[in-house]
Amino acid sequence: ASRFRASLDDAHWCESVGAYCDTGDLSPDPAGRVPLAAAPRNAYGWPLVEHRGYVSLFPLLLGILRPSSPRVGSLLALMESEEDLLGPGGLRSLSPRDPMYGRGDDYWTGPTWININFLALRALNTKY
């Protein structure tokens, strides 16, 4: 489990966001996302996709992070930020500051997704 946690941090932790980020090749778009060449890189050199949303929280939501992890404080701050994830109905799926917020069908990029809120409450009440 320790090696997995270390690998997770190496592959997905993004210091500039203060959260876990997905990796991938996103082409620049008119919505203002960071061009791929300027995207932060992980320990393997892969580009990190800087979206603040539920995907940023999964290691905490699923209880993978130890309560003593230096990452916990940053993730809790992200969850408590009304400018990012904390909305009137609970945790948002994606920060409203993100260019992808509310685009398309609004399913993954909109206000709240109840499943994530259940996971957050369970993690906060039982582990953190």
Side-chain angles (χ1 to χ4, degrees):
S2 294
R3 283 182 50 198
F4 173 74
R5 283 187 197 96
S7 177
L8 182 68
D9 281 352
D10 288 346
H12 297 285
W13 182 257
C14 183
E15 285 297 330
S16 64
V17 174
Y20 290 93
C21 292
D22 209 349
T23 60
D25 284 340
L26 289 182
S27 300
D29 72 355
R33 285 189 284 191
V34 175
L36 184 60
R41 303 287 170 149
N42 66 14
Y44 307 111
W46 307 334
L48 291 166
V49 182
E50 295 180 274
H51 295 294
R52 290 171 182 86
Y54 64 85
V55 72
S56 307
L57 305 174
F58 272 124
L60 185 139
L61 297 176
L62 299 175
I64 294 168
L65 288 182
R66 293 189 170 132
S68 61
S69 169
R71 313 282 190 227
V72 171
S74 181
L75 295 176
L76 292 175
L78 179 62
M79 291 171 70
E80 294 172 345
S81 170
E82 292 180 7
E83 293 178 351
D84 282 309
L85 297 187
L86 185 59
L91 292 176
R92 294 180 178 104
S93 298
L94 188 64
S95 171
R97 297 190 297 170
D98 193 289
M100 297 300 294
Y101 181 79
R103 293 182 65 188
D105 65 8
D106 217 23
Y107 184 69
W108 300 101
T109 62
T112 59
W113 200 37
I114 193 65
N115 309 35
I116 299 304
N117 284 275
F118 286 142
L119 290 173
L121 288 171
R122 182 183 68 183
L124 293 173
N125 284 320
T126 61
K127 186 142 185 172
Y128 307 102

